[in-house]
Every structure is written in structure tokens, then in C-alpha cells.
Amino acid sequence: MPELPEVEVTRLSIAKGISGAVIQSVTVGKPLRWPLGCPPEGLIGRTITAVRRRGKYLLLDLDGGLLLIHLGMSGSLRLGQSLEARGPHDHFEMETTLGTLRLRDPRRFGAVVWARDEGAEEAKKLLGSLGVEPLSDLFTVDGLFAGLRASRAPVKQVLLSGKVVVGVGNIYASEVLFLAGIRPTVKSSTIGLARVRRLHVAIREVLARAVERGGSTLRDFASADGSEGHFQLEAHVYGRHNEACRACGSPVRMIRQGQRSTYYCIRCQKA
Ligand code: ZN
């Protein structure tokens, strides 16, 4: 599943190329997770002025409205001058004066949604409950501490919910908790300030590094210019059930939390 780093890498790979492009035609394939919310022809003639990101949403600013793009479970976005012929999994495409922007999404959990602005109902529904951006200055130790303090749920679940901080998806949650030495099952509200500080550093470092390396959590993920990421090769615990912990040699454990796999080391993450 594309996570925040993949979405940020996608943003970086298309932002320069598409800014200033005028939309010339729009082709919509099979239904995605949510409807577009405007007639496709309504986008024609509009200029894409910027590409931003909020959580896992890409925000394409238009001169009049914006498009919110979510890559769902299996989506990828490509921008090119001469893409190959449209395939059965290409469900949204815009021809622009600066190339074709195409969303390929075999499982169709992704979406492209039009909104008048970020304050519009349809945008608030998607963006309204998102926590702070982990790579922004708004993400502070105090804010993280207060957010974790407020919940009695296991810390992994609180991180995954995205309500305190966005972008810590399933793989990254196991990784950052390992780096912070915190057991994923521990009650969120009981974590002291010193460990929250370590967690804050770990979240920033892991996500920033993943963006830097072109992050990949999906095997066939490719950024919009076709180059591939390789974050998965470096996981400390994720996907390493029964393999030796890279720090202490104990076998890495796997448990299920909320139907998702969690990996941790019982020696390095005592509580
Ligand atoms: Zn260990």
C-alpha cells in the first residue's frame, strides 16, 4: 500500500513537471472508491497551479478548485509525454499541455475527488480528521506526548489511526516503535516523555529517510518517473518474523493488532 513517503515521492516527481499545465481532456475509467464529484469536462481548460500533499492525499491546485488524489491500496500516478496505450487498470487520465497524468489502480481503492476548496464539505470529509504532518514544524514532542496521553489504546493503534500524526502506516509503525524501544502493545497514555522524545525522532528519521530513498512499501511501487524505491530492504523488524533482531539477535516476534501484522523484539522493546 502506498504510504506517506511514496505519496511524497510521487508528489516530488510530478510537481515540477505538471505545474502550469492546462487540462485538455479527462478520461474516467471504472468507478474508483469515491466519485469525482464534478463532470469530467468541467476540468477542461483549468490550469494546475501546484501539487501539495496532506497525509496520503495529493492536492492538485487548479485555478478554480482542487483535485484530491488518493492512491488507495495499489494506485500509482504517472506523468509523461508519450505514455503507452491506456490499459484495463488505468481509471483516470488527464491530458495536459505538459503531458499525460494517469492513475493506474488495479484494486480501485484509490480516488480522484474534486472540491471547490479545502474548506468545502467534500474536502473536509477526507482531510478534516488528519493529524499533524510528521515532517513539518507542527509536529512537536509536546504535541505527540499530549496526543498519546489522551488514549488508552495500544500505541501502535494510536499511531496507525493517523489522528495524532499522519503517515505512520503499518510498516513504519513497527519500525519507529522498534527504534524508540517501545513495545507496540503498550497503553499509549503510559508512555513517558523520554520515550516519546525518542519516538518523535524515530518517526521523523524513518519517514524522511524513506522519502529520500524514494520509499517503497509496495513491491511494484514506482514513482511517477519510473524509478523504484527500496525502503523495504532495510527494515529492522517489519517482515522479519523469527529472524534475528539486528540489535540483539533475539528472534523477531509477529503478532496481530487490529487485523494488521506487528513486528517487534521482546528484548529491545520491553515495555
Ligand atoms: Zn532486539
Side-chain angles (χ1 to χ4, degrees), residues 32-49:
L32 293 165
R33 182 165 180 190
W34 300 298
L36 179 59
C38 77
E41 315 80 70
L43 300 174
I44 295 171
R46 297 204 182 275
T47 303
I48 299 167
T49 56

Side-chain angles (χ1 to χ4, degrees), residues 179-219:
L179 291 172
I182 298 170
R183 190 163 293 197
T185 50
V186 79
K187 207 183 280 179
S188 175
S189 59
T190 64
I191 302 171
L193 190 56
R195 290 197 303 160
V196 170
R197 201 166 273 135
R198 287 209 301 270
L199 182 59
H200 181 263
V201 170
I203 290 172
R204 283 216 176 190
E205 279 186 2
V206 165
L207 293 179
R209 200 182 315 139
V211 172
E212 211 170 276
R213 306 234 166 136
S216 179
T217 49
L218 187 71
R219 245 166 231 126

Side-chain angles (χ1 to χ4, degrees), residues 5-183:
E6 284 75 10
V7 180
E8 179 63 11
V9 168
T10 301
R11 187 188 74 77
L12 291 169
S13 66
I14 65 168
K16 268 200 194 129
I18 198 117
S19 295
V22 179
I23 300 168
Q24 296 172 307
S25 71
V26 179
T27 310
V28 177
K30 286 189 186 156
L32 293 165
R33 182 165 180 190
W34 300 298
L36 179 59
C38 77
E41 315 80 70
L43 300 174
I44 295 171
R46 297 204 182 275
T47 303
I48 299 167
T49 56
V51 185
R52 293 178 291 138
R53 181 187 55 73
R54 183 71 181 97
K56 293 205 277 180
Y57 290 92
L58 285 172
L59 277 55
L60 265 60
D61 288 312
L62 309 177
D63 58 343
L66 79 159
L67 287 172
L68 295 101
I69 302 178
H70 197 284
L71 300 178
M73 303 285 285
S74 59
S76 60
L77 211 52
R78 288 189 61 195
L79 172 65
Q81 294 291 343
S82 47
L83 299 183
E84 70 278 15
R86 215 167 23 245
H89 301 305
D90 298 330
H91 300 301
F92 184 86
E93 183 170 299
M94 294 195 296
E95 300 246 14
T96 79
T97 49
L98 295 176
T100 304
L101 185 70
R102 176 185 287 173
L103 175 67
R104 174 166 294 173
D105 188 359
R107 297 180 63 183
R108 293 195 283 123
F109 282 101
V112 181
V113 175
W114 184 83
R116 190 162 296 119
D117 53 51
E118 273 179 84
E121 229 13 79
E122 53 271 29
K124 281 204 295 201
K125 213 160 55 186
L126 303 178
L127 308 176
S129 64
L130 297 180
V132 300
E133 286 290 333
L135 302 177
S136 79
D137 293 342
L138 297 174
F139 180 49
T140 62
V141 172
D142 290 347
L144 180 61
F145 182 69
L148 295 178
R149 255 290 113 126
S151 175
R152 295 164 61 81
V155 60
K156 159 128 191 264
Q157 302 305 97
V158 176
L159 292 177
L160 263 192
S161 76
K163 287 177 185 153
V164 177
V165 54
V166 296
V168 186
N170 199 48
I171 294 176
Y172 299 112
S174 283
E175 292 295 294
V176 297
L177 288 169
F178 173 79
L179 291 172
I182 298 170
R183 190 163 293 197

Side-chain angles (χ1 to χ4, degrees), residues 178 237 244-250 252 264-269:
F178 173 79
V237 285
C245 167
R246 297 196 202 280
C248 77
S250 303
V252 170
Y264 69 99
C265 171
I266 48 169
R267 277 177 72 188
C268 296
Q269 295 163 270

